[in-house]
Amino acid sequence: MTLLFVDSSTWTITLLGWAIVFCALLFLVGIFLTVPKILKWVTNRKIKVVENGQEVVKDINDISGETNAVIATALHLFLNEQHDDESNVITIKQVWKRYSPWSSKLYGMTNYGFPHNVSKQNRYARK
Amino acid sequence: MRKFVTVYSVLALLFCLQIVFGTDVMAAVTESTGGLSAADGLTELWNFTGFANLHGSYSNLIMIAVGLFFIFLAVKYDYEPLLLIPIGTGILLGNIPFSEGYKIGIYEQGSVLNYLYFGVEQGIYPPLIFLGIGAMTDFSSLISNPKLMILGAAAQIGIFATFLGASAIGFTPQEAGAIGIIGGADGPTAIFLSSKLAPHLMGAIAIAAYSYMALVPVIQPPIMRLIIPKKERAIKMKPPRAVSKTEKIMFPLIALLLTTFISPSALPLLGMLFFGNLLKESGVTERLADTARNSLINIVTILLGVTVGASTQANVFLTTDSLKIFGLGALSFVVATAGGLLFARFLNVFVNKDNKINPLIGAAGVSAVPDSARVVQMEGLKTDPNNHLLMHAMAPNVSGVIGSAVAAGIMLSFLMK
Protein backbone atom coordinates (compact mmCIF):
# COMPACT_ATOMS: atom_id res chain seq x y z
CA MET A 1 0.00 0.00 0.00
CA THR A 2 1.29 3.45 -0.86
CA LEU A 3 0.59 6.46 1.33
CA LEU A 4 1.94 9.92 0.45
CA PHE A 5 4.41 8.56 -2.19
CA VAL A 6 5.87 6.07 0.28
CA ASP A 7 4.95 2.43 0.82
CA SER A 8 3.57 1.14 4.10
CA SER A 9 6.78 -0.63 5.17
CA THR A 10 8.66 2.70 5.06
CA TRP A 11 6.02 4.27 7.27
CA THR A 12 6.29 1.27 9.62
CA ILE A 13 10.07 1.64 9.90
CA THR A 14 9.74 5.39 10.43
CA LEU A 15 7.13 5.30 13.16
CA LEU A 16 8.36 2.15 14.86
CA GLY A 17 11.99 3.27 14.69
CA TRP A 18 11.30 6.63 16.27
CA ALA A 19 9.10 5.00 18.90
CA ILE A 20 11.89 2.54 19.81
CA VAL A 21 14.44 5.36 20.14
CA PHE A 22 11.98 7.18 22.40
CA CYS A 23 11.31 4.06 24.47
CA ALA A 24 15.03 3.29 24.87
CA LEU A 25 15.77 6.78 26.15
CA LEU A 26 12.61 6.92 28.26
CA PHE A 27 13.71 3.66 29.86
CA LEU A 28 17.09 5.22 30.64
CA VAL A 29 15.32 8.30 32.06
CA GLY A 30 13.27 6.04 34.34
CA ILE A 31 16.35 4.19 35.53
CA PHE A 32 18.35 7.31 36.17
CA LEU A 33 15.52 8.91 38.07
CA THR A 34 15.39 5.79 40.25
CA VAL A 35 19.13 5.18 40.76
CA PRO A 36 19.77 8.35 42.85
CA LYS A 37 16.81 7.45 45.08
CA ILE A 38 18.22 3.96 45.67
CA LEU A 39 21.68 5.35 46.36
CA LYS A 40 20.19 7.91 48.74
CA TRP A 41 18.32 5.22 50.61
CA VAL A 42 21.45 3.05 50.86
CA THR A 43 23.56 5.99 52.10
CA ASN A 44 20.95 7.10 54.62
CA ARG A 45 20.74 3.59 55.98
CA LYS A 46 24.46 3.67 56.71
CA ILE A 47 24.54 7.15 58.22
CA LYS A 48 22.64 7.14 61.47
CA VAL A 49 23.32 9.72 64.13
CA VAL A 50 22.36 9.26 67.73
CA GLU A 51 20.62 12.35 69.09
CA ASN A 52 19.08 12.35 72.58
CA GLY A 53 19.41 8.60 72.78
CA GLN A 54 17.50 8.08 69.51
CA GLU A 55 18.81 7.11 66.10
CA VAL A 56 18.20 9.91 63.62
CA VAL A 57 18.85 9.66 59.88
CA LYS A 58 20.63 12.76 58.60
CA ASP A 59 19.98 13.42 54.96
CA ILE A 60 23.31 14.38 53.44
CA ASN A 61 22.29 13.94 49.82
CA ASP A 62 20.46 17.21 49.40
CA ILE A 63 23.52 19.38 49.57
CA SER A 64 23.47 21.95 46.80
CA GLY A 65 26.31 22.46 44.37
CA GLU A 66 27.14 25.83 45.92
CA THR A 67 27.53 24.28 49.38
CA ASN A 68 29.78 21.59 47.95
CA ALA A 69 31.87 24.25 46.22
CA VAL A 70 32.23 26.20 49.48
CA ILE A 71 33.26 23.07 51.43
CA ALA A 72 35.75 22.09 48.73
CA THR A 73 37.27 25.59 48.63
CA ALA A 74 37.52 25.74 52.41
CA LEU A 75 39.21 22.34 52.55
CA HIS A 76 41.58 23.32 49.75
CA LEU A 77 42.56 26.56 51.49
CA PHE A 78 42.93 24.87 54.86
CA LEU A 79 45.16 22.10 53.51
CA ASN A 80 47.29 24.59 51.57
CA GLU A 81 47.78 26.83 54.61
CA GLN A 82 48.61 23.85 56.73
CA HIS A 83 51.34 22.98 54.30
CA ASP A 84 52.71 26.55 54.44
CA ASP A 85 52.79 26.53 58.25
CA GLU A 86 54.69 23.31 58.30
CA SER A 87 57.60 24.58 56.27
CA ASN A 88 58.46 27.80 57.99
CA VAL A 89 62.12 26.91 58.53
CA ILE A 90 64.37 28.28 55.86
CA THR A 91 67.53 26.33 55.46
CA ILE A 92 70.46 27.72 53.57
CA LYS A 93 73.12 25.24 52.78
CA GLN A 94 76.53 26.52 52.07
CA VAL A 95 77.56 25.50 48.61
CA TRP A 96 81.16 24.43 48.49
CA LYS A 97 82.76 24.34 45.12
CA ARG A 98 86.26 23.13 44.54
CA TYR A 99 88.38 25.45 42.49
CA SER A 100 88.76 24.57 38.87
CA PRO A 101 90.21 26.64 36.04
CA TRP A 102 87.08 25.65 34.03
CA SER A 103 84.84 27.63 36.38
CA SER A 104 87.31 30.39 37.02
CA LYS A 105 86.08 33.94 36.49
CA LEU A 106 89.57 35.02 35.79
CA TYR A 107 89.91 32.68 32.85
CA GLY A 108 86.27 33.18 31.70
CA MET A 109 85.45 33.55 28.02
CA THR A 110 83.76 36.91 28.61
CA ASN A 111 86.79 38.37 30.18
CA TYR A 112 87.95 40.08 27.01
CA GLY A 113 91.47 41.38 26.85
CA PHE A 114 92.80 39.00 29.50
CA PRO A 115 95.51 38.95 30.72
CA HIS A 116 96.58 42.38 29.49
CA ASN A 117 93.63 44.41 30.87
CA VAL A 118 93.50 42.52 34.11
CA SER A 119 97.07 43.14 34.84
CA LYS A 120 96.58 46.83 33.94
CA GLN A 121 93.58 47.14 36.23
CA ASN A 122 95.43 45.43 39.00
CA ARG A 123 98.30 47.78 38.46
CA TYR A 124 96.01 50.84 38.68
CA ALA A 125 94.25 49.40 41.68
CA ARG A 126 97.49 49.08 43.50
CA LYS A 127 98.22 52.77 42.84
CA MET B 1 67.18 24.14 -13.22
CA ARG B 2 67.19 25.00 -16.92
CA LYS B 3 66.41 21.37 -17.82
CA PHE B 4 63.59 21.37 -15.33
CA VAL B 5 62.09 24.54 -16.82
CA THR B 6 62.47 23.15 -20.37
CA VAL B 7 60.68 19.88 -19.56
CA TYR B 8 57.82 21.66 -17.85
CA SER B 9 57.56 24.22 -20.65
CA VAL B 10 57.17 21.37 -23.15
CA LEU B 11 54.55 19.73 -20.95
CA ALA B 12 52.67 22.99 -20.58
CA LEU B 13 52.82 23.49 -24.36
CA LEU B 14 51.46 20.00 -24.94
CA PHE B 15 48.67 20.65 -22.47
CA CYS B 16 47.77 23.87 -24.27
CA LEU B 17 47.83 22.03 -27.60
CA GLN B 18 45.44 19.48 -26.20
CA ILE B 19 43.08 22.19 -25.01
CA VAL B 20 43.20 24.09 -28.29
CA PHE B 21 43.13 21.23 -30.81
CA GLY B 22 41.78 18.31 -28.82
CA THR B 23 43.47 15.03 -27.85
CA ASP B 24 43.87 13.76 -31.46
CA VAL B 25 46.62 16.24 -32.14
CA MET B 26 48.95 14.39 -29.76
CA ALA B 27 48.65 11.20 -31.73
CA ALA B 28 49.14 13.14 -34.95
CA VAL B 29 52.34 14.77 -33.65
CA THR B 30 53.79 11.40 -32.66
CA GLU B 31 52.91 9.80 -35.99
CA SER B 32 54.25 12.70 -38.11
CA THR B 33 57.63 12.59 -36.36
CA GLY B 34 58.03 8.95 -37.37
CA GLY B 35 58.10 7.58 -33.81
CA LEU B 36 61.03 9.61 -32.50
CA SER B 37 62.17 8.22 -29.19
CA ALA B 38 62.16 11.62 -27.45
CA ALA B 39 58.61 12.37 -28.59
CA ASP B 40 57.55 8.85 -27.60
CA GLY B 41 59.05 9.33 -24.19
CA LEU B 42 57.35 12.66 -23.77
CA THR B 43 54.04 11.20 -24.93
CA GLU B 44 54.45 8.33 -22.50
CA LEU B 45 55.25 10.79 -19.71
CA TRP B 46 52.35 12.95 -20.78
CA ASN B 47 49.97 10.01 -20.62
CA PHE B 48 50.94 9.43 -16.99
CA THR B 49 50.43 13.02 -15.94
CA GLY B 50 47.31 14.28 -14.24
CA PHE B 51 46.77 16.75 -17.09
CA ALA B 52 46.38 13.95 -19.66
CA ASN B 53 44.17 11.90 -17.36
CA LEU B 54 41.66 14.70 -17.05
CA HIS B 55 40.33 13.35 -20.38
CA GLY B 56 38.78 16.67 -21.18
CA SER B 57 36.48 16.40 -18.20
CA TYR B 58 36.87 19.02 -15.52
CA SER B 59 34.86 17.32 -12.77
CA ASN B 60 38.06 16.48 -10.90
CA LEU B 61 39.02 20.14 -10.96
CA ILE B 62 35.62 21.03 -9.49
CA MET B 63 36.21 18.55 -6.67
CA ILE B 64 39.71 19.93 -6.10
CA ALA B 65 38.12 23.38 -5.81
CA VAL B 66 35.69 21.94 -3.24
CA GLY B 67 38.61 20.47 -1.27
CA LEU B 68 40.43 23.80 -1.32
CA PHE B 69 37.22 25.52 -0.23
CA PHE B 70 36.97 23.16 2.78
CA ILE B 71 40.55 23.95 3.76
CA PHE B 72 39.81 27.66 3.34
CA LEU B 73 36.72 27.39 5.58
CA ALA B 74 38.73 25.58 8.24
CA VAL B 75 41.70 27.96 8.19
CA LYS B 76 39.88 31.25 7.70
CA TYR B 77 36.68 30.74 9.70
CA ASP B 78 37.79 27.94 12.05
CA TYR B 79 34.81 25.76 10.99
CA GLU B 80 35.55 22.27 12.39
CA PRO B 81 39.23 22.45 11.34
CA LEU B 82 40.00 19.02 12.80
CA LEU B 83 37.59 17.51 10.29
CA LEU B 84 37.63 19.86 7.33
CA ILE B 85 41.41 19.97 6.92
CA PRO B 86 41.82 16.16 6.68
CA ILE B 87 38.68 15.84 4.54
CA GLY B 88 39.69 18.75 2.29
CA THR B 89 43.16 17.28 1.81
CA GLY B 90 41.57 13.87 1.20
CA ILE B 91 39.41 15.40 -1.54
CA LEU B 92 42.57 16.76 -3.18
CA LEU B 93 44.25 13.32 -2.94
CA GLY B 94 41.22 11.52 -4.31
CA ASN B 95 40.77 13.80 -7.29
CA ILE B 96 44.23 13.97 -8.79
CA PRO B 97 43.66 12.26 -12.16
CA PHE B 98 45.84 9.17 -12.64
CA SER B 99 46.27 6.19 -14.95
CA GLU B 100 44.32 3.27 -13.57
CA GLY B 101 45.92 -0.12 -12.93
CA TYR B 102 48.93 1.07 -10.98
CA LYS B 103 47.49 0.71 -7.46
CA ILE B 104 47.17 4.43 -6.90
CA GLY B 105 43.49 5.23 -6.41
CA ILE B 106 41.46 4.62 -3.30
CA TYR B 107 39.16 2.18 -5.11
CA GLU B 108 42.06 0.16 -6.59
CA GLN B 109 42.74 -3.08 -4.73
CA GLY B 110 46.15 -3.06 -3.07
CA SER B 111 46.77 0.68 -3.12
CA VAL B 112 47.90 2.40 0.08
CA LEU B 113 44.77 4.53 0.18
CA ASN B 114 42.67 1.42 -0.35
CA TYR B 115 44.26 -0.22 2.69
CA LEU B 116 43.53 2.86 4.79
CA TYR B 117 40.00 2.99 3.36
CA PHE B 118 39.43 -0.55 4.65
CA GLY B 119 38.77 0.93 8.08
CA VAL B 120 35.97 3.04 6.64
CA GLU B 121 34.52 0.32 4.40
CA GLN B 122 34.33 -2.20 7.22
CA GLY B 123 33.16 0.34 9.81
CA ILE B 124 36.29 0.06 11.99
CA TYR B 125 37.08 3.74 12.46
CA PRO B 126 33.67 4.97 13.71
CA PRO B 127 33.62 2.75 16.85
CA LEU B 128 37.19 3.84 17.65
CA ILE B 129 36.11 7.46 17.35
CA PHE B 130 33.21 6.65 19.68
CA LEU B 131 35.68 5.17 22.18
CA GLY B 132 37.51 8.50 22.25
CA ILE B 133 34.25 10.46 22.48
CA GLY B 134 33.18 8.30 25.43
CA ALA B 135 36.50 8.95 27.18
CA MET B 136 36.04 12.70 26.62
CA THR B 137 32.38 13.08 27.52
CA ASP B 138 31.15 14.06 30.94
CA PHE B 139 27.65 12.64 31.35
CA SER B 140 27.08 14.30 34.73
CA SER B 141 24.72 16.98 33.37
CA LEU B 142 22.64 14.18 31.87
CA ILE B 143 22.69 12.11 35.05
CA SER B 144 21.72 15.12 37.16
CA ASN B 145 18.64 15.82 35.05
CA PRO B 146 17.72 12.64 33.15
CA LYS B 147 14.44 14.13 31.86
CA LEU B 148 16.43 16.17 29.37
CA MET B 149 17.39 12.90 27.69
CA ILE B 150 14.00 12.85 25.99
CA LEU B 151 15.01 15.93 23.98
CA GLY B 152 17.76 13.84 22.42
CA ALA B 153 15.13 11.32 21.35
CA ALA B 154 12.82 14.03 19.99
CA ALA B 155 15.51 15.48 17.76
CA GLN B 156 16.00 12.08 16.12
CA ILE B 157 12.87 12.86 14.12
CA GLY B 158 15.33 14.34 11.63
CA ILE B 159 16.64 10.85 10.86
CA PHE B 160 13.25 9.32 10.27
CA ALA B 161 11.81 12.30 8.38
CA THR B 162 14.80 12.21 6.03
CA PHE B 163 14.35 8.47 5.62
CA LEU B 164 10.77 9.14 4.51
CA GLY B 165 11.86 11.98 2.22
CA ALA B 166 14.62 9.92 0.60
CA SER B 167 12.21 7.03 0.02
CA ALA B 168 9.68 9.42 -1.51
CA ILE B 169 12.15 10.73 -4.09
CA GLY B 170 13.12 7.27 -5.24
CA PHE B 171 16.05 5.99 -3.17
CA THR B 172 15.94 2.31 -2.19
CA PRO B 173 15.09 1.62 1.49
CA GLN B 174 18.77 0.85 2.27
CA GLU B 175 19.95 4.05 0.60
CA ALA B 176 17.20 6.05 2.30
CA GLY B 177 18.21 4.62 5.69
CA ALA B 178 21.84 5.59 5.11
CA ILE B 179 20.86 9.09 3.97
CA GLY B 180 18.45 9.51 6.87
CA ILE B 181 21.23 9.13 9.43
CA ILE B 182 22.63 12.50 8.31
CA GLY B 183 19.82 13.90 10.49
CA GLY B 184 21.58 12.36 13.48
CA ALA B 185 24.33 14.97 12.97
CA ASP B 186 26.89 12.42 13.93
CA GLY B 187 29.71 11.80 11.45
CA PRO B 188 30.97 8.43 12.74
CA THR B 189 27.42 7.04 12.98
CA ALA B 190 26.67 8.25 9.44
CA ILE B 191 29.82 6.56 8.11
CA PHE B 192 29.15 3.39 10.07
CA LEU B 193 25.58 3.03 8.82
CA SER B 194 26.28 4.02 5.21
CA SER B 195 29.21 1.57 5.05
CA LYS B 196 26.75 -1.18 5.92
CA LEU B 197 23.66 -0.10 3.99
CA ALA B 198 24.85 1.93 0.98
CA PRO B 199 28.65 1.88 0.55
CA HIS B 200 28.38 3.57 -2.88
CA LEU B 201 26.83 6.67 -1.26
CA MET B 202 29.20 6.81 1.69
CA GLY B 203 31.39 9.63 0.36
CA ALA B 204 28.43 11.91 -0.31
CA ILE B 205 26.74 11.04 3.00
CA ALA B 206 29.91 11.57 5.06
CA ILE B 207 30.72 14.86 3.34
CA ALA B 208 27.13 16.07 3.77
CA ALA B 209 27.07 15.04 7.45
CA TYR B 210 30.38 16.69 8.29
CA SER B 211 29.65 19.81 6.23
CA TYR B 212 26.34 20.39 7.94
CA MET B 213 27.89 19.66 11.33
CA ALA B 214 30.42 22.37 10.59
CA LEU B 215 27.55 24.63 9.58
CA VAL B 216 25.55 24.07 12.78
CA PRO B 217 26.34 27.65 13.98
CA VAL B 218 24.84 28.93 10.72
CA ILE B 219 21.85 26.57 10.38
CA GLN B 220 20.47 26.46 13.92
CA PRO B 221 20.20 30.08 15.20
CA PRO B 222 17.56 31.26 12.67
CA ILE B 223 15.39 28.20 13.44
CA MET B 224 15.78 28.82 17.16
CA ARG B 225 14.70 32.45 16.83
CA LEU B 226 11.80 31.45 14.59
CA ILE B 227 10.37 28.78 16.87
CA ILE B 228 11.14 30.02 20.39
CA PRO B 229 9.67 33.37 21.52
CA LYS B 230 12.08 35.76 23.24
CA LYS B 231 10.35 35.37 26.59
CA GLU B 232 10.97 31.62 26.61
CA ARG B 233 14.54 32.03 25.42
CA ALA B 234 15.23 33.97 28.62
CA ILE B 235 14.09 31.18 30.98
CA LYS B 236 16.71 30.47 33.60
CA MET B 237 17.12 26.86 34.61
CA LYS B 238 18.04 25.48 38.03
CA PRO B 239 21.73 24.62 38.36
CA PRO B 240 22.31 20.86 37.95
CA ARG B 241 22.79 18.89 41.16
CA ALA B 242 26.13 17.38 42.09
CA VAL B 243 26.52 13.83 40.79
CA SER B 244 28.26 11.16 42.88
CA LYS B 245 31.10 9.04 41.55
CA THR B 246 29.01 5.89 41.98
CA GLU B 247 26.35 7.32 39.65
CA LYS B 248 28.98 8.26 37.11
CA ILE B 249 30.37 4.72 37.11
CA MET B 250 26.94 3.14 37.01
CA PHE B 251 25.77 5.25 34.07
CA PRO B 252 27.94 3.70 31.31
CA LEU B 253 27.30 0.20 32.60
CA ILE B 254 23.52 0.51 32.81
CA ALA B 255 23.24 2.49 29.58
CA LEU B 256 25.46 -0.02 27.74
CA LEU B 257 23.43 -3.01 28.85
CA LEU B 258 20.08 -1.36 28.28
CA THR B 259 20.65 0.23 24.89
CA THR B 260 22.49 -2.71 23.39
CA PHE B 261 19.82 -5.13 24.56
CA ILE B 262 17.25 -2.93 22.80
CA SER B 263 19.33 -2.37 19.68
CA PRO B 264 22.15 -4.96 19.39
CA SER B 265 23.06 -3.72 15.90
CA ALA B 266 24.40 -0.54 17.48
CA LEU B 267 26.71 -2.61 19.69
CA PRO B 268 30.00 -1.50 18.06
CA LEU B 269 29.11 2.17 18.48
CA LEU B 270 27.38 2.17 21.86
CA GLY B 271 29.70 -0.48 23.27
CA MET B 272 32.75 1.61 22.51
CA LEU B 273 31.09 4.86 23.62
CA PHE B 274 30.23 3.54 27.06
CA PHE B 275 33.48 1.59 27.34
CA GLY B 276 35.39 4.85 26.77
CA ASN B 277 33.26 6.57 29.38
CA LEU B 278 33.85 3.78 31.88
CA LEU B 279 37.61 4.15 31.33
CA LYS B 280 37.24 7.82 32.22
CA GLU B 281 34.89 7.52 35.17
CA SER B 282 36.29 4.41 36.84
CA GLY B 283 39.28 6.50 37.93
CA VAL B 284 41.65 3.53 37.82
CA THR B 285 42.39 3.44 34.09
CA GLU B 286 43.49 7.01 33.55
CA ARG B 287 46.28 5.95 31.17
CA LEU B 288 43.88 4.10 28.89
CA ALA B 289 41.33 6.92 29.03
CA ASP B 290 44.07 9.39 28.20
CA THR B 291 45.14 7.36 25.16
CA ALA B 292 41.54 6.96 23.98
CA ARG B 293 40.68 10.64 24.21
CA ASN B 294 43.97 11.97 22.82
CA SER B 295 46.32 9.82 20.75
CA LEU B 296 43.85 7.21 19.51
CA ILE B 297 41.06 9.57 18.51
CA ASN B 298 43.57 11.89 16.82
CA ILE B 299 45.07 9.08 14.75
CA VAL B 300 41.68 7.72 13.75
CA THR B 301 40.36 11.21 12.93
CA ILE B 302 43.29 11.75 10.57
CA LEU B 303 42.78 8.40 8.83
CA LEU B 304 39.00 8.75 8.70
CA GLY B 305 39.09 12.33 7.41
CA VAL B 306 41.65 11.71 4.70
CA THR B 307 40.09 8.49 3.43
CA VAL B 308 36.53 9.80 3.48
CA GLY B 309 37.74 12.86 1.57
CA ALA B 310 39.65 10.69 -0.89
CA SER B 311 36.56 8.55 -1.48
CA THR B 312 34.91 11.49 -3.22
CA GLN B 313 36.43 10.79 -6.62
CA ALA B 314 34.63 12.99 -9.10
CA ASN B 315 33.34 10.07 -11.20
CA VAL B 316 31.54 8.53 -8.20
CA PHE B 317 30.75 11.73 -6.30
CA LEU B 318 29.55 14.28 -8.83
CA THR B 319 26.14 12.77 -9.54
CA THR B 320 22.58 13.95 -9.17
CA ASP B 321 22.25 11.54 -6.23
CA SER B 322 24.89 13.51 -4.33
CA LEU B 323 22.98 16.72 -4.93
CA LYS B 324 19.80 15.09 -3.65
CA ILE B 325 21.71 13.82 -0.59
CA PHE B 326 22.99 17.34 0.14
CA GLY B 327 19.45 18.72 -0.15
CA LEU B 328 18.03 16.01 2.10
CA GLY B 329 20.89 16.52 4.58
CA ALA B 330 20.08 20.22 4.94
CA LEU B 331 16.40 19.37 5.38
CA SER B 332 17.19 16.74 8.00
CA PHE B 333 19.20 19.22 10.10
CA VAL B 334 16.36 21.71 9.97
CA VAL B 335 13.75 19.09 10.90
CA ALA B 336 15.90 17.66 13.72
CA THR B 337 16.53 21.10 15.21
CA ALA B 338 12.87 22.07 14.93
CA GLY B 339 11.83 18.70 16.43
CA GLY B 340 14.04 19.22 19.49
CA LEU B 341 12.90 22.81 20.01
CA LEU B 342 9.19 22.05 19.64
CA PHE B 343 9.41 19.08 21.96
CA ALA B 344 11.15 21.21 24.58
CA ARG B 345 8.26 23.70 24.40
CA PHE B 346 5.82 20.80 24.63
CA LEU B 347 7.60 19.45 27.74
CA ASN B 348 7.27 22.83 29.43
CA VAL B 349 3.48 22.42 29.37
CA PHE B 350 3.77 19.56 31.88
CA VAL B 351 6.46 21.05 34.09
CA ASN B 352 5.73 23.28 37.07
CA LYS B 353 6.78 26.92 37.00
CA ASP B 354 9.97 26.47 39.04
CA ASN B 355 11.34 23.64 36.92
CA LYS B 356 10.72 25.10 33.46
CA ILE B 357 13.34 24.26 30.88
CA ASN B 358 14.72 26.74 28.41
CA PRO B 359 13.41 25.40 25.06
CA LEU B 360 16.61 26.49 23.32
CA ILE B 361 18.37 23.42 24.73
CA GLY B 362 16.09 21.24 22.56
CA ALA B 363 18.24 22.24 19.58
CA ALA B 364 21.22 20.51 21.19
CA GLY B 365 19.39 17.19 20.86
CA VAL B 366 20.66 16.86 17.29
CA SER B 367 23.98 15.53 18.60
CA ALA B 368 26.86 17.36 16.82
CA VAL B 369 28.77 17.38 20.09
CA PRO B 370 29.64 19.96 21.35
CA ASP B 371 28.85 22.49 18.62
CA SER B 372 25.09 22.52 19.00
CA ALA B 373 25.41 22.95 22.80
CA ARG B 374 27.77 25.84 22.14
CA VAL B 375 25.23 27.40 19.76
CA VAL B 376 22.55 27.11 22.45
CA GLN B 377 24.86 28.85 24.92
CA MET B 378 25.52 31.67 22.45
CA GLU B 379 21.83 32.15 21.68
CA GLY B 380 20.98 32.10 25.39
CA LEU B 381 23.60 34.77 26.07
CA LYS B 382 22.23 36.94 23.26
CA THR B 383 18.84 37.00 24.99
CA ASP B 384 20.18 37.34 28.52
CA PRO B 385 23.92 37.85 29.10
CA ASN B 386 23.63 36.17 32.51
CA ASN B 387 21.89 33.03 31.31
CA HIS B 388 24.44 30.23 30.85
CA LEU B 389 22.86 27.21 29.20
CA LEU B 390 25.93 25.21 28.22
CA MET B 391 25.79 22.65 31.02
CA HIS B 392 22.05 22.15 30.54
CA ALA B 393 22.45 21.84 26.77
CA MET B 394 25.12 19.17 27.16
CA ALA B 395 22.46 16.77 28.51
CA PRO B 396 20.33 16.60 25.32
CA ASN B 397 23.54 16.88 23.32
CA VAL B 398 25.07 13.66 24.64
CA SER B 399 21.70 11.94 24.72
CA GLY B 400 21.48 12.84 21.02
CA VAL B 401 24.65 10.81 20.48
CA ILE B 402 23.08 7.84 22.24
CA GLY B 403 19.79 8.38 20.40
CA SER B 404 21.37 8.56 16.96
CA ALA B 405 23.42 5.41 17.62
CA VAL B 406 20.27 3.58 18.76
CA ALA B 407 18.46 4.86 15.64
CA ALA B 408 21.34 3.60 13.47
CA GLY B 409 21.06 0.21 15.11
CA ILE B 410 17.32 0.14 14.46
CA MET B 411 17.85 1.10 10.82
CA LEU B 412 20.40 -1.71 10.50
CA SER B 413 18.02 -4.25 12.03
CA PHE B 414 15.21 -3.25 9.69
CA LEU B 415 17.17 -2.76 6.49
CA MET B 416 20.25 -4.99 6.58
CA LYS B 417 19.81 -7.79 4.09
Side-chain angles (χ1 to χ4, degrees), chain B residues 2-33:
Chain B
R2 198 179 291 167
K3 279 181 187 173
F4 183 76
V5 171
T6 314
V7 168
Y8 273 88
S9 306
V10 171
L11 284 174
L13 189 67
L14 289 171
F15 182 62
C16 295
L17 277 176
Q18 193 203 26
I19 292 171
V20 177
F21 300 109
T23 41
D24 294 343
V25 75
M26 290 301 296
V29 167
T30 320
E31 276 172 26
S32 65
T33 50

Side-chain angles (χ1 to χ4, degrees), chain B residues 117-127 191-192 195-196 202 268:
Chain B
Y117 192 55
F118 181 80
V120 177
E121 269 184 323
Q122 299 302 318
I124 297 167
Y125 296 148
I191 291 168
F192 181 77
S195 70
K196 306 279 180 203
M202 189 165 52

Side-chain angles (χ1 to χ4, degrees), chain A residues 4-6 10-11 13-14 16-18 20-22 24-29 31-33 35-36 39 63 65-66 68, chain B residues 146 149-150 153-154 156-157 160 163-164 167-168 241-242 247 250-251 254-255 258 262 343 402-403 407 410 414-415:
Chain A
L4 292 173
F5 313 109
V6 179
T10 309
W11 278 106
I13 295 171
T14 304
L16 208 58
W18 198 31
I20 294 170
V21 174
F22 244 102
L25 291 180
L26 270 176
F27 208 13
L28 269 180
V29 171
I31 286 178
F32 282 97
L33 284 175
V35 165
L39 287 175
I63 303 172
E66 287 92 341
N68 280 335
Chain B
M149 215 185 275
I150 307 168
Q156 303 315 316
I157 191 173
F160 296 100
F163 171 66
L164 268 183
S167 301
R241 70 172 173 87
E247 281 177 277
M250 283 173 78
F251 179 79
I254 294 174
L258 191 73
I262 291 173
F343 198 81
I402 302 170
I410 292 161
F414 277 124
L415 301 169

